[in-house]
């Protein structure tokens, strides 16, 4: 069974500082990995996804993530935090490219940006 | 870009009544949609996978007779919470599988409060 663990339910950084949100996965087959962002009382917006094409994936809003098979990790980073980045971030894994493509989500990490 | 809508965005109902939530894909056909439940400050929990023209597939522990799912067309899936109780109060989010791609487009969510 696949699973996702996000280390740190709450991360706080200063505006302009590096953002690092950690995600580790467990999968019996090569996974497909996703990062989603959720603003209060809204649905999820896709930030980026790993589909085995390239290990460093660039997404929207300046975010990127690197797939490291040896560490079973897919950490999300952004060089310089902006106030508008404050939100809840979810890492998710899917084991199939076809069929239902069910997603399994991590617990989420709330990102707070300090002025 | 592709958009998934939900209606209503919030609803308050009395205990014992039923509530229907609609999920629509606005500019693409969605053969597969998903229904999630999210409790405050928690992650998304997949409730069921909705396939157009066939019965929904429910996750373990989800009562199919309580959470009725209908996916009668390629652009509409509905979730009906029958005989709602206060413990059913939650944020319900639907998503649609990206056509010919990986991942899901998420709706904005519906907040259900049962009094």
């Amino acid at each position: 069974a696949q699973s996702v663990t996000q280390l740190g339910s709450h991360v706080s950084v200063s505006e302009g500082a590096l953002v690092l949100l950690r995600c580790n996965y467990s999968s019996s087959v090569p996974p497909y990995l996703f990062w989603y962002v959720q603003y209060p009382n809204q649905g999820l917006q896709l930030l980026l996804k790993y589909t085995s094409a390239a290990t460093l994936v660039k997404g929207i809003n300046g975010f990127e993530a690197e797939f490291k098979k040896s560490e079973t990790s897919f950490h999300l980073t952004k060089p310089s935090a902006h106030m508008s980045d404050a939100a809840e971030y979810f890492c998710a894994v899917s084991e199939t490219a076809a069929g239902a493509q069910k997603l399994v989500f991590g617990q989420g990490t709330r990102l707070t940006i300090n002025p | 870009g592709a958009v998934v809508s939900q209606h209503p965005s919030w609803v308050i109902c009395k205990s014992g009544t039923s509530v229907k939530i609609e999920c629509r894909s606005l500019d693409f056909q969605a053969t597969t949609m998903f229904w999630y439940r999210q409790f405050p400050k928690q992650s998304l929990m997949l409730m069921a996978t909705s396939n157009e023209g066939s019965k929904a597939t429910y996750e373990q522990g989800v009562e199919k007779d309580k959470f009725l799912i209908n996916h009668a067309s390629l652009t509409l899936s509905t979730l009906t919470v029958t005989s709602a109780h206060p413990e059913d109060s939650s944020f319900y989010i639907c998503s649609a599988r990206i056509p010919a791609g990986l991942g899901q487009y998420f709706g904005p969510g519906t907040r259900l409060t049962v009094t």
Side-chain angles (χ1 to χ4, degrees), chain B residues 88-108:
Chain B
D88 298 324
S89 298
S90 189
F91 195 49
Y92 291 87
I93 303 175
C94 75
S95 70
R97 181 187 162 185
I98 297 174
L102 283 171
Q104 299 169 17
Y105 295 121
F106 283 81

Side-chain angles (χ1 to χ4, degrees), chain A residues 38 43 49 51 99-102 106, chain B residues 34 38 43 59 97 101-102 107:
Chain A
Q38 184 182 34
K49 59 185 176 184
T51 60
Q101 291 185 23
K102 293 198 299 184
Chain B
F34 304 88
Q38 185 181 33
S43 188
E59 294 300 302
R97 181 187 162 185
L102 283 171

